Amino acid sequence: ECPLGTLYFLVLYTYEMMGGMGSRDQAVIQAEMLVTHMRKFPFFIIAAARWPTYEALHHFTPLHAPQNPTAAKTTLCEGVRGASAIDWDALLQAARAWSAQQLQGLEPGEGRTDHGTVLKAAADAVYRDPRVRGPAAQDECPFGFLFLCTTQVLASAMRLTGAFEAWAR
């Protein structure tokens, strides 16, 4: 009856299971069910929904933090430089600032805008030669590239440009 509402409650229930309500095996089964359900929706559908699914996921982000320095360096792309020409360290800082501001519920144009310059520079780097720099960016920093694509999808959707579909792929 309400698939996005169901997704929201599955997120909450999954974290409750992970927090000790069920056994480890039950938590794994529940997490797999959540992943299966999330895959039914394009990310921009979840992002545009009125259910606070992303806010719930954000609330539990400390559970997903890298557990050792090697994992942190790999997932956060610390010091990574390559053919994409993206400054991944600067993009991570901008991503954190942008995310914090989005969770405050500010309207476009409100709040700080300095992180937008870094986000634009990263997108521009990919746009300069998308056939080479896009794949390079994906290889250098998969999570960073996913974040960049997500922000570009949201920005193009807000501007009603023709770029929405290209970044959504």
Side-chain angles (χ1 to χ4, degrees), residues 38-58:
M38 285 187 87
R39 286 184 176 153
K40 294 177 183 177
F41 305 99
F43 69 91
F44 50 86
I45 297 295
I46 298 170
R50 292 181 184 246
W51 287 97
T53 304
Y54 278 132
E55 289 84 347
L57 292 169
H58 175 75

Side-chain angles (χ1 to χ4, degrees), residues 21-153:
M21 183 181 141
S23 70
R24 183 177 186 274
D25 290 341
Q26 289 171 324
V28 169
I29 291 168
Q30 180 60 36
E32 288 171 352
M33 184 187 313
L34 173 62
V35 168
T36 299
H37 197 69
M38 285 187 87
R39 286 184 176 153
K40 294 177 183 177
F41 305 99
F43 69 91
F44 50 86
I45 297 295
I46 298 170
R50 292 181 184 246
W51 287 97
T53 304
Y54 278 132
E55 289 84 347
L57 292 169
H58 175 75
H59 176 77
F60 293 103
T61 55
L63 295 176
H64 302 286
Q67 300 298 309
N68 62 57
T70 302
K73 186 172 181 68
T74 302
T75 58
L76 301 178
C77 310
E78 295 174 350
V80 172
R81 298 289 182 272
S84 73
I86 293 174
D87 181 344
W88 294 108
D89 295 319
L91 185 60
L92 177 61
Q93 295 308 313
R96 288 178 170 157
W98 181 86
S99 297
Q101 192 163 299
Q102 295 305 305
L103 289 170
Q104 292 174 2
L106 300 177
E107 293 295 323
E110 294 181 341
R112 293 179 41 213
T113 58
D114 53 328
H115 54 269
T117 304
V118 177
L119 294 171
K120 183 179 182 325
D124 288 348
V126 172
Y127 270 132
R128 280 189 201 102
D129 189 357
R131 285 188 221 121
V132 173
R133 292 186 177 188
Q138 286 179 317
D139 290 339
E140 292 166 8
C141 188
F143 292 120
F145 186 73
L146 178 60
F147 172 80
L148 182 61
C149 289
T150 302
T151 58
Q152 294 306 302
V153 164

